């Protein structure tokens, strides 16, 4: 009956020693068949013979058919396996001076059904704790420097990331800048320094070459330019530190002072207050124990109260206030549009899950409202979004897709509740909130104009999808183009640039990533080593994008590219999924400008500008220009 459960398999010390009496299981109804390990079926007759549960595999059967003197195991193999595991775990526990594990204590006292539930909860807790701890552990075996060098990659400059440390004060740091760094090519007993020049820059990371090596790259090395051992030229003189040339080239010059004067005349170095600026840019206003409102990850349509548990590089680990064991958490950046001050939901009419906790816990306090990102003010007095209007939106549950969507509710202060057509829950629990100025919503026709595959409503039969037909069939209108945010900053990203990006479907993870498409301010982010189906559309100013070296600088864990084994295991299944998806949701071909004009249904004529090429679309051109009468 319970054959197949492995909920009691052990990897730590046993819940009971070999001389303990077995735990009796309550008699079952007489008609219930019990399956023993040899396949024979016994029917529990009258409650006198008794039942037993295998303490190794969890199988339930007639006790008389079990093995060992105490009838604790359904087979000889289970008995031997249990004994071997118990001995190893017991010896290890004694050597480490550990008391019996929580799992052992729980399993000792519970009946079978409770055992299974308790053990499953225990395992889930351990997994969540392991995930949480992993967010602060540095990655091993991956080097950005080797990765970039071996593939001749380029990285997005730090100036592309205004929310990141030094993003707004990076200055003129570029190739050719000189710095003073520790001299690792020395046999002196004390720490000495030498001058090096930046050969290549990749985010925060710089490939350095010691002065005097000319074109010799044998001792080139990568380092984080914001590290504590990187100093402007002149720091050694003011700090009384020795400048000693590397041992490999000591013989090249007899007068190193003259050499340095000649080499450094007119050269650039770091600002004298560079390290101070780095330190200041890594001070974060959010503190642990602050209370915020954040999206409920299980019901996107509402928010919940959460408490800041930790802050790493401006990223917040938020624990939902009702989580007693602090495992129900959510990661986001402090500038994320998903978090708000306490009272925000009520102020705009957003759904909110009230906490069962009637008063604040000791030490918890509301985060000041000025700490949160401010949205642009909008004028909703005139023509504005209305319920039922159609648009295109990035699906927050599948960030690789831009979908046909509908405005389901208009909230205060410019906020909109949006649903994905064809996949909405009847109670609206999967609606999501975007601000009217959000770069994640687009007017009807955006995908077609920019040659992006638009995901039609699930189950929609008339393919290829055409907005003209769909609007007529649903008796609805498109949201006016002029209401959308069309600002495109000069962001500086280019196709092929490397960066570190949050996997927004698993937001505790920051991964090695690449920009593969640029549509105005919209970036297509590919996670290196993974299939394209995991790509995500992200705004160029998203606080979930970081320069190369951000994880190393802040102490966050970086997820390296997927290894070859993972790629191989992905390929067959993912290709099948992609093939099926492409057959079902194949986008239609781009229309001519004349066709587009004829099929617009909102009564206004627009001439649409074709999106610039992926390499050149980082300018400030708008998506559309209203045609003058």
């Amino acid at each position: 009956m319970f054959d197949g459960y492995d909920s009691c398999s052990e990897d730590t010390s046993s819940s009971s020693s070999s001389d303990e009496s077995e735990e009796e299981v309550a008699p079952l109804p007489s008609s219930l068949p019990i399956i023993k390990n040899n396949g024979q079926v016994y029917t529990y007759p009258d409650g006198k013979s008794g039942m037993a549960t295998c303490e190794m595999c969890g199988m339930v059967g007639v006790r008389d058919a079990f093995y060992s003197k105490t009838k604790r195991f359904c087979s000889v193999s289970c008995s031997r396996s249990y004994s071997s595991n118990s001995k190893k775990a017991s010896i290890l526990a004694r050597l480490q001076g550990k008391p019996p594990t929580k799992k052992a204590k729980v399993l000792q006292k519970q009946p079978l059904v409770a055992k299974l539930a308790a053990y499953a909860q225990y395992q889930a807790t351990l997994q969540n704790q392991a995930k949480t701890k992993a967010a602060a552990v540095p990655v091993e075996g991956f080097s950005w420097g080797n990765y970039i060098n071996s593939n001749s990659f380029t990285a997005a400059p730090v100036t592309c990331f205004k929310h990141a440390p030094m993003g707004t004060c990076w200055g003129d740091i570029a190739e050719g800048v000189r710095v003073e760094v520790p001299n690792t090519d020395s046999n002196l007993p004390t720490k000495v320094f030498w001058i090096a020049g930046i050969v290549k820059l990749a985010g925060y990371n710089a490939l350095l070459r010691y002065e005097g090596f000319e074109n010799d790259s044998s001792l080139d090395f990568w380092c984080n330019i914001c590290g504590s051992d990187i100093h402007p030229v002149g720091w050694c003189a003011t700090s009384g530190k020795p400048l000693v040339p590397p041992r490999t080239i000591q013989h090249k010059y007899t007068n190193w002072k003259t050499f340095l004067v000649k080499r450094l005349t007119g050269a650039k170095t770091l600002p004298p207050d560079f390290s101070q600026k780095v330190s200041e840019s890594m001070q974060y206003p959010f503190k642990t124990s602050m209370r915020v409102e954040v999206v409920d990850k299980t019901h996107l349509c509402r928010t919940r109260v959460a408490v800041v548990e930790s802050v790493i590089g401006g990223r917040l680990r938020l624990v939902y206030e009702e989580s007693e064991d602090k495992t129900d958490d959510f990661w986001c950046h402090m500038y994320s549009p998903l978090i708000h001050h306490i009272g925000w939901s009520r102020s705009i009419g957003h759904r909110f899950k009230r906490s069962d906790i009637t008063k604040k816990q000791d030490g918890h306090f509301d985060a000041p409202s000025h700490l949160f990102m401010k949205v642009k003010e909008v004028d909703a007095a005139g023509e504005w979004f209305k319920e039922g209007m159609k648009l295109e939106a990035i699906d927050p549950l599948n960030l690789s897709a831009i979908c046909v969507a509908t405005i389901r509710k208009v909230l205060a202060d410019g906020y909109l509740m949006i649903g994905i057509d064809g996949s909405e829950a009847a109670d609206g629990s999967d609606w999501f909130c975007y601000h009217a100025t959000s770069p994640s919503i687009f007017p009807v026709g955006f995908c077609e104009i920019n040659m992006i595959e638009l995901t039609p409503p699930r189950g929609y039969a008339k393919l290829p999808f055409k907005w003209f037909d769909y609007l007529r069939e649903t008796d609805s209108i498109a949201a006016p183009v002029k209401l959308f945010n069309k600002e495109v900053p000069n962001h500086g990203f280019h196709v092929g640039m490397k960066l570190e990006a949050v996997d927004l479907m698993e937001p505790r993870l920051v991964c090695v990533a690449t920009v593969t498409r640029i549509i105005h301010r919209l970036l297509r982010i590919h996670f290196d080593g993974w299939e394209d189906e995991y790509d995500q559309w992200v705004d160029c100013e998203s606080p979930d994008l970081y320069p190369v070296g951000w994880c190393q600088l802040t102490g966050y864990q970086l997820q390296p590219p997927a290894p070859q084994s993972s790629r191989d295991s992905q390929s067959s299944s993912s290709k099948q999924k992609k093939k099926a998806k492409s057959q079902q949701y194949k986008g239609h071909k781009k229309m001519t400008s004349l066709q587009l004009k004829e099929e617009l249904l909102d009564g206004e004529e627009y001439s649409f500008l074709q999106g610039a090429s992926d390499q050149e679309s980082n300018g400030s051109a708008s998506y559309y220009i209203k045609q003058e009468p």
Side-chain angles (χ1 to χ4, degrees), residues 571-583:
S571 58
S572 58
S573 60
S574 61
K575 285 179 180 177
Q576 291 174 358
K577 291 178 183 177
K578 287 173 68 178
K579 184 177 180 181
K581 182 178 179 181
S582 63
Q583 290 174 345

Side-chain angles (χ1 to χ4, degrees), residues 462-479:
K462 294 182 63 175
L463 298 177
F465 177 86
K466 289 188 177 183
W467 267 115
F468 179 86
D469 295 335
Y470 186 67
L471 291 173
R472 183 175 54 191
E473 292 166 4
T474 57
D475 193 24
S476 53
I477 63 172

Side-chain angles (χ1 to χ4, degrees), residues 592-600 604-607 627:
T592 64
S593 299
L594 180 60
Q595 287 176 306
L596 286 171
K597 285 183 181 180
E598 291 174 347
E599 295 199 9
L600 286 172
E604 294 179 313
E605 280 194 331
Y606 290 83
S607 62
Q627 193 175 53

Side-chain angles (χ1 to χ4, degrees), residues 528-574:
D528 289 20
W530 296 95
E531 293 290 331
D532 293 346
E533 67 183 59
Y534 298 103
D535 291 1
Q536 298 177 2
W537 288 109
V538 181
D539 182 60
C540 65
E541 294 183 341
S542 168
D544 295 306
L545 303 178
Y546 307 102
V548 165
W550 178 87
C551 283
Q552 179 187 3
L553 177 64
T554 60
Y556 206 93
Q557 182 186 10
L558 176 66
Q559 302 296 318
Q564 186 63 43
S565 57
S566 297
R567 299 180 206 174
D568 294 340
S569 63
Q570 294 175 49
S571 58
S572 58
S573 60
S574 61

Side-chain angles (χ1 to χ4, degrees), residues 110-373:
Q110 305 286 337
L112 177 64
V113 175
K115 276 185 181 182
L116 299 175
Y119 183 72
Q121 183 177 6
Y122 174 77
Q123 289 287 65
T125 300
L126 288 183
Q127 291 175 3
N128 285 332
Q129 289 175 347
K131 290 178 181 178
T132 301
K133 291 177 181 177
V137 179
V139 67
E140 297 180 1
F142 176 76
S143 165
W144 262 120
N146 294 338
Y147 191 57
I148 289 175
N149 272 351
S150 60
N151 298 281
S152 300
F153 291 140
T154 58
V158 174
T159 52
C160 290
F161 310 88
K162 305 304 181 186
H163 57 280
M166 301 298 292
T168 58
C169 53
W170 188 245
D172 297 328
I173 300 175
E175 296 176 7
V177 167
R178 307 301 207 281
V179 292
E180 293 180 352
V181 294
N183 177 5
T184 58
D185 184 26
S186 171
N187 54 4
L188 297 176
T190 58
K191 187 176 184 179
V192 295
F193 294 79
W194 190 240
I195 296 171
I198 297 178
V199 177
K200 187 172 184 177
L201 202 58
Y204 294 116
N205 293 348
L207 180 63
L208 299 180
R209 181 174 300 170
Y210 289 120
E211 283 295 336
F213 274 80
E214 309 301 340
N215 296 322
D216 181 2
S217 61
S218 59
L219 287 186
D220 287 3
F221 60 98
W222 285 90
C223 69
N224 195 303
I225 208 72
C226 295
S228 59
D229 270 339
I230 312 299
H231 308 281
V233 172
W235 176 84
C236 285
T238 58
S239 304
K241 303 293 183 181
L243 274 176
V244 178
R247 181 176 50 179
T248 304
I249 57 171
Q250 279 181 347
H251 64 279
K252 289 186 67 174
Y253 300 97
T254 56
N255 190 332
W256 282 99
K257 182 177 180 180
T258 302
F259 168 81
L260 289 180
V261 170
K262 182 178 179 181
R263 289 285 296 174
L264 299 179
T265 300
K268 293 182 178 180
T269 187
L270 300 178
D273 60 347
F274 184 76
S275 61
Q276 180 182 347
K277 287 183 177 179
V278 171
S279 178
E280 291 174 353
S281 67
M282 295 182 67
Q283 300 301 312
Y284 308 106
F286 280 86
K287 308 299 178 185
T288 56
S289 299
M290 282 185 173
R291 300 171 75 243
V292 301
E293 288 185 11
V294 64
V295 66
D296 185 343
K297 63 183 181 182
T298 59
H299 295 82
L300 299 183
C301 65
R302 68 188 185 190
T303 58
R304 294 170 62 182
V305 173
V307 178
V308 178
E309 181 69 17
S310 60
V311 183
I312 304 177
R315 291 191 62 76
L316 311 178
R317 178 178 178 254
L318 303 172
V319 175
Y320 290 113
E321 196 170 48
E322 293 176 300
S323 177
E324 295 182 359
D325 58 0
K326 296 186 177 181
T327 58
D328 190 9
D329 61 358
F330 184 81
W331 281 91
C332 68
H333 194 272
M334 62 183 183
Y335 294 149
S336 169
L338 300 177
I339 61 171
H340 311 276
H341 61 85
I342 297 295
W344 173 84
S345 297
R346 176 182 293 180
S347 69
I348 71 160
H350 194 283
R351 290 171 68 175
F352 176 77
K353 181 184 179 183
R354 297 188 180 277
S355 173
D356 293 336
I357 301 174
T358 56
K359 61 179 181 179
K360 297 179 188 177
Q361 298 182 14
D362 292 341
H364 294 175
F365 58 101
D366 296 350
S369 59
H370 70 269
L371 299 185
F372 299 86
M373 280 294 290

